């Protein structure tokens, strides 16, 4: 058994699922209800109990952690993770370009989630089977930092930081054209494109609020290297916003970016991540360099 708990008097008469979520606050009441219903929880050696069972002083509770709905249907993907930071609660990886974050249409067993299962990393359960551990995501052809939650407590706390914008994600991007302003703020609500469901679009009537800050790092003859900081985190946000000001990402043909300089996806890299660690009560700041494929494009531009 992964865990053994003896019930003490001060939580006597509480529902079993609630008692366990209080005693083991890495996981939610919903998660423990799932464990109990699927007979992964034993009271005094018996597992024929319900989540509403009222615990008594002296009860011996034993249980095994399981991924919600079990991960037996998810095929492990042998893939070496580039781990930038790791502790008992979370890990941050440098996701390579080309790796899909979670299973979906066209990618069922070669995603980051499958790789996490292969590497036997304990994961939060809040988002269900296909998105175990996934708090936020980045697109397949975007590289860079991605935080993975190992338990429900951390998942919930980091999700709060995403919601209140206290978690900061910063990107480096190469865009078409010359941006004359040294810095700026793009505001435009984002929603699903009605004509192409693979795309998002500016929809100030029905879309969700989206704000992106940018600053210019370097100007080339026909391109601009910029740094972007997200205040919100909508799907394709940076891609949509930059296209909306007529400076789409180089290589991003979905949003009208040019592809004669680079034709293997958008040139966008999540290089910096800042968050407050709920367990150790400290700010964590992580930063990584540009990947080689991005550097090669810039080297080529430097030689022109």
């Amino acid at each position: 058994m992964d865990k053994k708990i003896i019930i003490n008097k001060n939580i006597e008469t509480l529902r079993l699922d609630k008692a366990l979520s209080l005693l083991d606050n890495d996981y939610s009441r919903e998660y423990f209800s799932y464990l109990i219903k699927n007979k992964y929880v034993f009271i005094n050696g018996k597992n024929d109990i319900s989540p509403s069972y009222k615990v008594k002083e002296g009860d011996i509770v034993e249980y095994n952690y399981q991924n919600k709905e079990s991960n037996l249907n998810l095929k492990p993907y042998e893939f070496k993770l580039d781990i930038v930071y790791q502790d008992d609660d979370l890990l941050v990886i440098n996701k390579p370009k080309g790796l899909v974050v979670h299973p979906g249409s066209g990618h069922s067993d070669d995603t980051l989630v499958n790789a996490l299962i292969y590497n036997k990393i304990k994961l939060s359960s809040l988002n269900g089977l296909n998105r175990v551990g996934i708090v936020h995501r980045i697109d397949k052809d975007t590289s860079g930092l991605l935080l993975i939650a190992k338990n429900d407590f951390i998942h919930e706390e980091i999700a709060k930081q995403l919601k209140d914008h206290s978690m900061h994600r910063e990107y480096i991007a190469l865009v078409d054209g010359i941006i004359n302003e040294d810095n700026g703020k793009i505001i435009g609500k984002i929603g699903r494109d009605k004509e192409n469901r693979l795309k998002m679009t500016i929809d100030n009537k029905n879309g969700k609020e989206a704000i992106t800050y940018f600053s210019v790092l370097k100007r080339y003859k026909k391109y601009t290297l910029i740094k972007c900081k997200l205040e919100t985190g909508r799907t394709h946000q940076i891609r949509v916003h930059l296209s909306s000001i007529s400076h789409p990402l180089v290589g991003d043909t979905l949003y009208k970016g040019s592809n004669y300089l680079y034709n293997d996806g958008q040139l966008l890299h999540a290089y910096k991540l800042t968050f407050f660690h709920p367990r150790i009560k400290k700010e964590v700041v992580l930063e990584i360099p540009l990947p080689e494929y991005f550097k090669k494009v810039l080297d080529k531009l430097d030689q022109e």
Side-chain angles (χ1 to χ4, degrees), residues 26 85-92 147-151 153-155 157-158 161 166-167 274-286:
D26 280 348
Y85 174 91
Q86 181 171 207
D87 59 28
D88 291 340
D89 289 303
L90 58 89
L91 73 155
V92 177
L147 187 150
I148 309 297
K150 291 184 176 181
N151 56 63
F153 167 73
I154 288 295
H155 193 134
E157 292 300 312
I158 296 297
Q161 293 180 39
S166 59
M167 178 180 178
T274 305
F275 62 94
F276 183 78
H277 197 304
R279 188 83 69 186
I280 64 176
K281 308 295 184 185
K282 289 183 180 179
E283 184 179 67
V284 177
V285 181
L286 302 170

Coordinates of all heavy atoms in Angstrom, one line a residue, residues 26 85-92 147-151 153-155 157-158 161 166-167 274-286:
D26 N -2.6 16.7 -0.7 CA -2.1 16.7 -2.1 C -3.2 16.4 -3.1 O -3.0 16.7 -4.3 CB -0.9 15.7 -2.3 CG 0.4 16.2 -1.7 OD1 0.5 17.4 -1.4 OD2 1.3 15.4 -1.6
Y85 N 13.7 21.5 -13.9 CA 13.5 21.6 -12.5 C 12.6 20.5 -12.0 O 11.6 20.2 -12.7 CB 12.8 23.0 -12.1 CG 12.5 23.1 -10.7 CD1 13.4 23.7 -9.7 CD2 11.2 22.7 -10.2 CE1 13.0 23.8 -8.4 CE2 10.9 22.8 -8.8 CZ 11.8 23.4 -8.0 OH 11.5 23.5 -6.6
Q86 N 12.8 20.0 -10.8 CA 12.0 18.9 -10.3 C 12.1 18.8 -8.8 O 13.1 19.0 -8.2 CB 12.3 17.5 -10.9 CG 11.4 16.4 -10.4 CD 11.6 15.1 -11.2 OE1 10.7 14.3 -11.2 NE2 12.8 14.9 -11.7
D87 N 10.9 18.6 -8.1 CA 10.9 18.3 -6.7 C 9.7 17.3 -6.5 O 9.2 16.8 -7.5 CB 10.8 19.6 -5.9 CG 9.6 20.4 -6.1 OD1 8.5 19.9 -6.6 OD2 9.6 21.7 -5.9
D88 N 9.3 17.1 -5.2 CA 8.3 16.2 -5.0 C 6.9 16.6 -5.5 O 6.0 15.8 -5.6 CB 8.2 15.9 -3.4 CG 9.4 15.2 -2.9 OD1 10.1 14.6 -3.7 OD2 9.6 15.3 -1.7
D89 N 6.7 17.9 -5.8 CA 5.4 18.4 -6.1 C 5.2 18.7 -7.6 O 4.1 18.6 -8.1 CB 5.1 19.7 -5.4 CG 4.9 19.5 -3.9 OD1 4.0 18.8 -3.6 OD2 5.6 20.1 -3.1
L90 N 6.3 19.0 -8.3 CA 6.2 19.4 -9.7 C 7.5 19.2 -10.5 O 8.5 19.0 -9.9 CB 5.7 20.9 -9.8 CG 6.6 21.9 -9.1 CD1 7.7 22.4 -10.1 CD2 5.8 23.1 -8.6
L91 N 7.4 19.3 -11.8 CA 8.6 19.3 -12.6 C 8.3 20.3 -13.7 O 7.2 20.5 -14.1 CB 9.0 18.0 -13.1 CG 8.2 17.3 -14.2 CD1 9.1 16.3 -15.0 CD2 7.0 16.5 -13.7
V92 N 9.4 20.9 -14.2 CA 9.3 21.8 -15.4 C 10.2 21.2 -16.4 O 11.4 20.9 -16.2 CB 9.7 23.2 -15.0 CG1 9.7 24.1 -16.2 CG2 8.8 23.8 -13.9
L147 N 5.2 23.5 -17.1 CA 5.1 23.0 -15.8 C 4.1 21.8 -15.7 O 3.0 21.9 -16.2 CB 4.7 24.1 -14.8 CG 4.7 23.8 -13.3 CD1 5.0 25.1 -12.5 CD2 3.4 23.2 -12.8
I148 N 4.6 20.8 -15.0 CA 3.7 19.6 -14.8 C 3.5 19.4 -13.3 O 4.4 19.4 -12.5 CB 4.5 18.3 -15.3 CG1 4.9 18.5 -16.8 CG2 3.6 17.1 -15.2 CD1 3.9 18.7 -17.8
A149 N 2.2 19.2 -12.9 CA 1.9 19.0 -11.5 C 1.9 17.5 -11.1 O 1.3 16.7 -11.8 CB 0.5 19.6 -11.2
K150 N 2.5 17.2 -10.0 CA 2.6 15.8 -9.6 C 1.4 15.4 -8.6 O 1.2 14.3 -8.3 CB 3.9 15.5 -8.9 CG 5.1 15.6 -9.8 CD 6.4 15.2 -9.0 CE 7.6 15.1 -9.9 NZ 8.8 14.7 -9.1
N151 N 0.7 16.4 -8.1 CA -0.4 16.1 -7.2 C -1.5 17.2 -7.4 O -1.2 18.3 -7.9 CB 0.1 16.0 -5.7 CG 0.8 17.2 -5.3 OD1 0.2 18.3 -5.2 ND2 2.1 17.1 -4.9
F153 N -3.0 19.1 -5.1 CA -2.8 20.3 -4.4 C -2.0 21.3 -5.2 O -2.4 22.5 -5.3 CB -2.0 20.0 -3.0 CG -1.5 21.3 -2.4 CD1 -2.3 22.1 -1.7 CD2 -0.1 21.5 -2.4 CE1 -1.9 23.3 -1.1 CE2 0.4 22.7 -1.8 CZ -0.5 23.5 -1.1
I154 N -0.9 20.9 -5.7 CA 0.0 21.8 -6.5 C -0.8 22.2 -7.8 O -0.7 23.4 -8.2 CB 1.3 21.1 -6.9 CG1 2.2 21.1 -5.6 CG2 2.0 21.9 -8.0 CD1 2.6 22.4 -5.1
H155 N -1.5 21.3 -8.4 CA -2.2 21.6 -9.6 C -3.3 22.7 -9.4 O -3.3 23.7 -10.1 CB -3.0 20.3 -10.1 CG -3.5 20.4 -11.5 ND1 -3.4 19.4 -12.4 CD2 -4.3 21.4 -12.1 CE1 -4.0 19.8 -13.5 NE2 -4.5 21.0 -13.4
E157 N -3.2 25.0 -6.9 CA -2.6 26.2 -6.6 C -2.0 26.9 -7.8 O -2.0 28.1 -7.9 CB -1.5 26.0 -5.5 CG -2.1 25.5 -4.1 CD -3.0 26.6 -3.6 OE1 -2.6 27.8 -3.5 OE2 -4.1 26.2 -3.1
I158 N -1.4 26.1 -8.7 CA -0.8 26.7 -9.9 C -1.9 27.2 -10.8 O -1.7 28.3 -11.4 CB 0.2 25.7 -10.6 CG1 1.4 25.4 -9.7 CG2 0.7 26.3 -11.9 CD1 2.3 26.5 -9.4
Q161 N -2.8 30.6 -9.9 CA -1.9 31.6 -10.3 C -2.0 31.9 -11.8 O -1.9 33.1 -12.2 CB -0.4 31.1 -10.1 CG -0.1 31.0 -8.6 CD 1.3 30.5 -8.3 OE1 2.3 30.9 -9.0 NE2 1.5 29.7 -7.3
S166 N -0.6 35.7 -11.8 CA 0.6 35.9 -11.0 C 1.7 34.9 -11.5 O 2.9 35.0 -11.1 CB 0.3 35.7 -9.5 OG -0.2 34.4 -9.3
M167 N 1.4 34.0 -12.3 CA 2.4 33.1 -13.0 C 2.7 33.7 -14.3 O 1.8 34.1 -15.1 CB 1.8 31.7 -13.2 CG 2.7 30.8 -13.9 SD 1.9 29.1 -14.1 CE 3.2 28.2 -14.9
T274 N 8.0 32.1 -14.4 CA 8.1 32.6 -13.1 C 6.8 32.2 -12.3 O 5.7 32.5 -12.8 CB 8.3 34.1 -13.0 OG1 9.4 34.4 -13.8 CG2 8.5 34.6 -11.6
F275 N 6.9 31.6 -11.2 CA 5.8 31.2 -10.4 C 6.1 31.1 -8.9 O 7.3 31.1 -8.5 CB 5.2 29.9 -10.8 CG 6.1 28.7 -10.7 CD1 6.1 27.9 -9.5 CD2 7.0 28.4 -11.7 CE1 6.9 26.8 -9.4 CE2 7.9 27.3 -11.5 CZ 7.8 26.5 -10.4
F276 N 5.1 31.2 -8.1 CA 5.3 31.1 -6.6 C 5.1 29.6 -6.2 O 4.0 29.1 -6.5 CB 4.4 32.0 -5.9 CG 4.6 32.0 -4.4 CD1 5.6 32.7 -3.8 CD2 3.7 31.3 -3.6 CE1 5.8 32.7 -2.4 CE2 3.9 31.2 -2.2 CZ 4.9 31.9 -1.6
H277 N 6.1 29.0 -5.6 CA 5.9 27.6 -5.2 C 5.1 27.5 -4.0 O 5.5 27.9 -2.9 CB 7.3 27.0 -5.0 CG 7.3 25.5 -5.0 ND1 6.5 24.7 -4.2 CD2 8.0 24.6 -5.8 CE1 6.7 23.4 -4.4 NE2 7.6 23.3 -5.4
P278 N 3.9 26.9 -4.1 CA 2.9 26.9 -2.9 C 3.5 26.1 -1.7 O 3.1 26.3 -0.6 CB 1.7 26.2 -3.5 CG 1.8 26.3 -5.0 CD 3.3 26.3 -5.2
R279 N 4.3 25.1 -1.9 CA 4.8 24.3 -0.8 C 6.0 24.9 -0.1 O 6.0 25.0 1.1 CB 5.2 22.9 -1.4 CG 5.6 21.9 -0.3 CD 4.3 21.3 0.3 NE 3.7 20.4 -0.7 CZ 2.6 19.7 -0.5 NH1 1.9 19.9 0.6 NH2 2.1 19.0 -1.4
I280 N 7.0 25.4 -0.9 CA 8.2 25.9 -0.2 C 8.1 27.4 0.0 O 9.0 28.0 0.6 CB 9.5 25.6 -1.1 CG1 9.4 26.3 -2.4 CG2 9.6 24.1 -1.2 CD1 10.7 26.1 -3.3
K281 N 7.0 28.0 -0.5 CA 6.7 29.4 -0.2 C 7.8 30.4 -0.8 O 8.2 31.3 -0.1 CB 6.5 29.7 1.3 CG 5.5 28.8 2.0 CD 4.1 29.0 1.5 CE 3.1 28.2 2.2 NZ 1.7 28.3 1.7
K282 N 8.2 30.0 -2.0 CA 9.3 30.9 -2.6 C 9.0 31.1 -4.1 O 8.3 30.2 -4.7 CB 10.7 30.2 -2.5 CG 11.2 30.3 -1.1 CD 12.6 29.6 -1.1 CE 13.2 29.7 0.3 NZ 14.6 29.1 0.3
E283 N 9.4 32.2 -4.6 CA 9.3 32.4 -6.1 C 10.3 31.6 -6.8 O 11.5 31.5 -6.4 CB 9.4 33.9 -6.4 CG 9.2 34.2 -7.9 CD 9.4 35.7 -8.2 OE1 10.5 36.2 -8.1 OE2 8.3 36.3 -8.6
V284 N 9.9 30.9 -7.9 CA 10.8 30.2 -8.7 C 10.9 30.8 -10.1 O 9.9 31.1 -10.7 CB 10.3 28.7 -8.9 CG1 11.3 27.9 -9.8 CG2 10.3 28.0 -7.5
V285 N 12.1 31.1 -10.5 CA 12.3 31.8 -11.8 C 13.2 30.8 -12.6 O 14.3 30.5 -12.2 CB 13.0 33.1 -11.7 CG1 13.1 33.8 -13.1 CG2 12.1 34.1 -10.8
L286 N 12.7 30.4 -13.8 CA 13.5 29.5 -14.6 C 13.6 30.1 -16.0 O 12.7 30.7 -16.5 CB 12.7 28.1 -14.8 CG 12.5 27.4 -13.4 CD1 11.6 26.2 -13.7 CD2 13.8 26.9 -12.8

